[in-house]
Amino acid sequence: MQKTVVQKYAVRLLSILVATAFSDGARSETRLEEVVVTAQKRQEKLQDVPISITAISGAQLETRGIDGVSGLNSLAPNLMFRNNPSSNSITTIAIRGSVTGQPAIWMDPPIGTYVDGVYIGKAQGGIFDIIDLERVEVLRGPQGTLFGRNTEGGAVNFISRKPSGEFGGTVGLEVGNYGRTVEKAVIDLPKMGLFSIKLGYRKEDQDGWVKNTTSGVGDFGKRDKEAFQLAARMDISNHTKVDYKFDHSETDGTPPVNSLYSLRGWAGTPAAGALRTALEGFVTTDRPKSAGSPAGYPIFERIKTDGHALTVSHQLNQKNEIKYIYAKRDMDYDDGNSGSGTDLLSVATSPTTSVGAARYYQRHTKYKSDSHELQWIGNTERMNYVLGLYSFKDDGTTLGPQDFSVFGLPMMHSDYGVKTDAKAWFGQLDYKVTEALTATFGMRHTTEKKSGWTHRFRTSGYDGPFVAEVVPMTSYDASWSANTPVAALGYKMTETTNLYARVARGFKSGGFSAENTNIAALRTPFNPERSLSMEVGVKSSLLDNRAQVSAAYFRNKLTDLHITQLLPGTSVSVLTNAGKATYKGIELEGAFQLTDGWRLQGNYGYLDAKFDEYIDNALNIAGRPLIDTAGNRLPPYAPKHTFNLTLDGRLARTAWGTLRAILDYTYTAKMNLYAVNKSLTAANAGGSYVVGLDDLPAIRNLNARLLLADIPVGGPGKADVSIWIKNLTDEKNPIQKIDVGTSMTANWQEPRTYGISVNYKW
């Protein structure tokens, strides 16, 4: 993306002169603030909601240096986040073990991501920054009644600040190592007649942190991101308000390094000989400082998104409100990378001696969605209720040329398109049985249709003539419906302690494995995955609200489990309903005002995950026998332990401001990359992946910040200056891997970064 020199330096000069970012506000230094959430489509105290939910305020997010999705790992119990392999913009999110590692748009994630009530439909483009966040709400467990499809494991809601109608704002500059600069500005304009308007801007640049030794190609992990936001509120009357939000973002960077980690994969090792010797020189089990990309093959990751959201709310009377929400989002996603790791294409010369999946690929995706939601929210003396109608449509295509010329084969194109048409009605009622006991009942009915097409063919080059069909143009469609009820009891044991029990159903959408090369498998849909979750919990405020604690036990049963399997005798994968699973565990959260100006907060999640059924060769391709391998399998992306601890302390009050120190530690235990076999020699062993080989190590991360807040610099506001370090101990573990059969590649934990932020708020 281009910017004139005047624009570039005008923004930076403004940031340096006025300086912004975050301000902690006038929060209490001796008691914890009361947290209000909208997890049930209305404002409620966090402690009163019968849901396992973590709410993180905008002030905390800024203090911890979190601007969006990518900083969420372990910030809530049993919440796991990773970038998808070889991408800085595709998400892999798990809550309580519910996860999908498939990045393509033919697959829907089981965790719903929402921005101001608008559903973000796919993992591609799912890593984004949000300007001026008010809070993040992480809802754990199925949210199928109020949020619908694809919230089987939970939902993550990002809520941005609305226009205030009063003049104010923030501006700021951040600089750090690897050439990092972040410029941001938010301006809240005075109310003009009926209108209140807020404008936001964010620009991030950072050099790559792994040097690319290939001449003329950018370093790995380079970031160039720019985002704009317009939020407007129109007060038509005392009873009717209209909110409109437009956001635009552009990313033009390079993917993280995808390096060769091992010459052993699930299918064995490359054949011995000169090639094997050459490949051994590329193997690294430590985070590389440099690597090469395939000569003549560009590596890139470019994304453009535009979002529109319109909300109209009308207060019928003091107790009833009608709300309409319309949203439209468009995304263009393009990337190019080596699927086998760095510059292996330069030495992989034939299919019999290569590392199995050595190739160069590109993805060109266009995706759009629009939704309509109508809500009736109301209450009586003993009841709160929500009724609604919902409609969602999306349409996407991916054109995916893949270069196998290193095998002496023509170019392969893997092109496909997907569509969704989903409709639902829903309702939920809270009834106060007694002053202490509240019962909740809800139901959602969803119908959806999935359709699409696939075409795979060979050409003599990216724009060369057609050579041969692999899969002729093939279309397919299927429809499903689902009921997702919820029932809960909340008991107010004391004024400060609430007990709850909850039972809920959820489901994740079905679809088609659109990248398949087997026509029979391609036309066979995978049905929705369904879940039944039961949990009990307690939430309490203690010591005159100087402590808040919560605990929950959950048990989640999944059926028609979505499992990616290899077709027998091939390296082609297909998604099937091959299993059942049980995920159970405990979750603990707490915040403690230790003393005046010192706060400690943290969480811990324990997860016990196991397969109850895992049928290999579930499609029964080529007459192979069906085998239940559940007793010999372990689930993917299900770390047994997640942990987070944050200490925020006031060191001193001075004439120059308040000096604070913040330490933020997260831990995610070792986990499996795929549904692995415990042993490949067991009587019920399945094919391919195995424990000990296809796993990811524990990830530890310590961030630190020294902050001088509320500096009196003149003018209408105050400044903040902070020195920060991320990954203080410079951990170097792989965070993702890809087992390509005869080898394994890895993506790595980013190195230690540090810098200074200067901010001003008025």
Side-chain angles (χ1 to χ4, degrees):
M1 65 199 74
Q2 299 294 321
K3 185 191 283 187
T4 67
V5 173
V6 173
Q7 287 177 310
K8 180 178 179 179
Y9 286 100
V11 172
R12 295 190 178 187
L13 180 60
L14 175 65
S15 301
I16 292 172
L17 291 177
V18 222
T20 94
F22 95 85
S23 174
D24 203 27
R27 69 171 172 87
S28 169
E29 295 288 323
T30 58
R31 290 181 178 84
L32 299 171
E33 63 269 21
E34 187 174 83
V35 179
V36 175
V37 297
T38 53
Q40 298 191 122
K41 305 291 187 181
R42 62 178 184 271
Q43 290 191 343
E44 298 175 280
K45 295 179 183 178
L46 174 65
Q47 297 295 94
D48 293 341
V49 181
I51 297 174
S52 292
I53 177 173
T54 299
I56 309 168
S57 70
Q60 290 183 42
L61 293 167
E62 290 175 300
T63 297
R64 298 160 81 167
I66 299 170
D67 294 304
V69 179
S70 59
L72 294 182
N73 184 54
S74 297
L75 261 64
N78 290 314
L79 170 65
M80 189 285 304
F81 172 87
R82 292 284 191 278
N83 291 15
N84 205 259
S86 304
S87 175
N88 279 322
S89 303
I90 301 178
T91 58
T92 300
I93 304 179
I95 296 180
R96 294 180 173 178
S98 291
V99 68
T100 296
Q102 172 58 251
I105 61 169
W106 55 262
M107 188 64 183
D108 293 325
I111 308 302
T113 302
Y114 294 81
V115 179
D116 294 323
V118 176
Y119 176 59
I120 308 299
K122 301 297 179 182
Q124 276 192 37
I127 300 177
F128 48 84
D129 299 322
I130 301 173
I131 301 172
D132 202 25
L133 271 171
E134 180 177 295
R135 69 183 180 278
V136 174
E137 299 176 2
V138 180
L139 286 65
R140 301 184 296 281
Q143 306 297 320
T145 300
L146 291 180
F147 291 92
R149 52 193 289 277
N150 300 332
T151 56
E152 176 194 66
V156 181
N157 299 329
F158 295 89
I159 297 101
S160 60
R161 291 185 179 92
K162 303 293 188 292
S164 68
E166 299 179 0
F167 183 60
T170 63
V171 287
L173 175 66
E174 179 176 288
V175 295
N177 60 337
Y178 295 101
R180 178 176 176 81
T181 61
V182 178
E183 303 138 5
K184 49 189 175 180
V186 177
I187 298 177
D188 219 342
L189 298 175
K191 190 171 184 179
M192 296 171 284
L194 302 178
F195 292 94
S196 301
I197 295 175
K198 188 183 71 171
L199 303 171
Y201 173 80
R202 187 181 189 275
K203 179 72 168 72
E204 177 183 348
D205 292 285
Q206 184 170 307
D207 298 335
W209 47 272
V210 174
K211 180 176 177 56
N212 195 332
T213 57
T214 302
S215 176
V217 183
D219 293 337
F220 296 96
K222 180 180 181 294
R223 296 174 188 166
D224 181 357
K225 303 164 71 175
E226 193 167 25
F228 305 88
Q229 182 188 99
L230 164 68
R233 164 164 283 195
M234 181 167 60
D235 293 304
I236 296 177
S237 70
N238 291 335
H239 305 292
T240 306
K241 300 183 185 299
V242 177
D243 285 288
Y244 170 74
K245 180 183 174 184
F246 169 73
D247 62 88
H248 171 82
S249 64
E250 296 185 30
T251 298
D252 187 358
T254 58
V257 67
N258 185 33
S259 62
L260 184 61
Y261 183 78
S262 171
L263 288 184
R264 181 190 171 199
W266 65 266
T269 61
L275 178 62
R276 170 78 177 273
T277 302
L279 290 173
E280 287 173 348
F282 290 95
V283 174
T284 176
T285 56
D286 197 3
R287 184 178 61 214
K289 295 182 179 179
S290 63
S293 60
Y297 295 86
I299 60 166
F300 60 89
E301 196 168 25
R302 295 189 287 265
I303 308 170
K304 287 185 180 181
T305 61
D306 287 294
H308 302 267
L310 177 70
T311 302
V312 181
S313 58
H314 177 70
Q315 202 77 33
L316 297 172
N317 52 46
Q318 289 185 342
K319 295 183 178 295
N320 289 278
E321 178 187 13
I322 297 291
K323 183 181 290 187
Y324 167 73
I325 304 171
Y326 169 73
K328 174 180 173 60
R329 296 195 69 83
D330 294 277
M331 177 187 72
D332 288 350
Y333 180 99
D334 298 285
D335 69 343
N337 203 355
S338 168
S340 55
T342 61
D343 49 354
L344 296 182
L345 287 178
S346 62
V347 296
T349 56
S350 77
T352 58
T353 57
S354 74
V355 289
R359 72 187 190 277
Y360 173 77
Y361 69 86
Q362 291 187 8
R363 283 175 293 198
H364 308 287
T365 297
K366 289 186 178 294
Y367 175 79
K368 61 182 180 181
S369 65
D370 64 80
S371 63
H372 304 264
E373 184 167 0
L374 183 64
Q375 301 173 6
W376 180 10
I377 306 167
N379 64 84
T380 67
E381 183 178 350
R382 302 183 72 89
M383 289 191 301
N384 293 301
Y385 50 85
V386 179
L387 299 171
L389 299 172
Y390 182 74
S391 170
F392 175 85
K393 293 183 178 182
D394 69 9
D395 189 348
T397 59
T398 293
L399 307 181
Q402 303 175 33
D403 192 345
F404 289 87
S405 60
V406 294
F407 299 158
L409 297 174
M411 174 81 68
M412 169 76 81
H413 273 253
S414 176
D415 301 344
Y416 55 88
V418 298
K419 285 187 177 181
T420 303
D421 186 354
K423 296 179 174 62
W425 59 260
F426 61 91
Q428 183 166 303
L429 170 71
D430 295 346
Y431 181 75
K432 185 175 286 190
V433 181
T434 69
E435 284 302 311
L437 181 65
T438 300
T440 298
F441 303 96
M443 173 63 78
R444 189 184 191 103
H445 177 75
T446 301
T447 60
E448 75 171 20
K449 179 179 180 179
K450 285 285 187 74
S451 59
W453 57 266
T454 294
H455 188 202
R456 293 177 72 99
F457 56 96
R458 296 193 185 279
T459 68
S460 61
Y462 281 109
D463 299 314
F466 173 88
V467 172
E469 290 278 13
V470 177
V471 176
M473 180 66 74
T474 303
S475 60
Y476 33 80
D477 65 81
S479 298
W480 300 276
S481 64
N483 294 316
T484 47
V486 65
L489 287 175
Y491 181 70
K492 201 172 186 66
M493 186 174 170
T494 69
E495 282 300 312
T496 58
T497 300
N498 292 314
L499 306 177
Y500 72 90
R502 184 174 187 264
V503 180
R505 284 197 176 273
F507 83 102
K508 180 170 64 140
S509 292
F512 296 85
S513 301
E515 294 171 282
N516 215 286
T517 58
N518 183 292
I519 295 180
L522 181 63
R523 287 177 169 165
T524 303
F526 53 90
N527 291 318
E529 181 178 288
R530 303 171 190 271
S531 64
L532 174 63
S533 177
M534 297 166 280
E535 70 175 81
V536 293
V538 58
K539 300 181 180 184
S540 185
S541 297
L542 307 170
L543 304 174
D544 194 21
N545 205 34
R546 291 193 295 273
Q548 294 173 355
V549 295
S550 63
Y553 168 81
F554 66 90
R555 183 183 180 91
N556 194 14
K557 301 280 289 187
L558 281 76
T559 56
D560 289 325
L561 191 66
H562 289 169
I563 295 173
T564 300
Q565 299 180 348
L566 294 178
L567 292 179
T570 77
S571 61
V572 177
S573 63
V574 61
L575 198 79
T576 67
N577 297 103
K580 300 177 182 178
T582 300
Y583 295 82
K584 58 185 179 180
I586 60 172
E587 295 170 341
L588 305 172
E589 290 186 272
F592 308 91
Q593 196 71 36
L594 301 175
T595 185
D596 185 19
W598 285 82
R599 178 178 299 185
L600 179 70
Q601 62 187 59
N603 70 70
Y604 168 73
Y606 170 78
L607 180 63
D608 179 13
K610 71 171 186 175
F611 289 118
D612 301 315
E613 181 180 84
Y614 189 116
I615 306 298
D616 265 16
N617 192 26
L619 289 178
N620 200 22
I621 302 295
R624 300 279 287 257
L626 303 182
I627 305 171
D628 187 352
T629 68
N632 192 47
R633 293 277 188 176
L634 296 172
Y637 292 113
K640 184 158 289 190
H641 309 281
T642 57
F643 176 71
N644 171 238
L645 194 64
T646 301
L647 177 65
D648 184 342
R650 187 182 66 226
L651 300 177
R653 281 192 173 122
T654 73
W656 292 95
T658 302
L659 184 64
R660 291 168 51 198
I662 300 98
L663 293 174
D664 190 6
Y665 177 79
T666 58
Y667 171 82
T668 305
K670 177 181 176 181
M671 60 187 175
N672 302 305
L673 183 63
Y674 308 108
V676 297
N677 288 274
K678 298 177 184 177
S679 169
L680 290 179
T681 60
N684 63 339
S688 64
Y689 310 114
V690 62
V691 68
L693 176 67
D694 296 299
D695 58 19
L696 291 170
I699 297 296
R700 302 166 181 83
N701 190 69
L702 176 62
N703 298 333
R705 185 176 293 256
L706 189 64
L707 167 68
L708 185 61
D710 300 327
I711 305 170
V713 294
K718 294 182 179 180
D720 301 321
V721 176
S722 59
I723 300 170
W724 51 266
I725 304 176
K726 294 184 178 181
N727 191 7
L728 177 65
T729 55
D730 199 24
E731 301 290 323
K732 301 177 181 180
N733 285 321
I735 59 171
Q736 284 281 22
K737 296 179 186 175
I738 304 176
D739 186 338
V740 296
T742 52
S743 66
M744 186 175 295
T745 64
N747 299 135
W748 301 86
Q749 202 167 352
E750 292 195 13
R752 179 192 297 120
T753 55
Y754 51 84
I756 184 170
S757 300
V758 184
N759 310 295
Y760 183 82
K761 181 176 182 178
W762 72 96

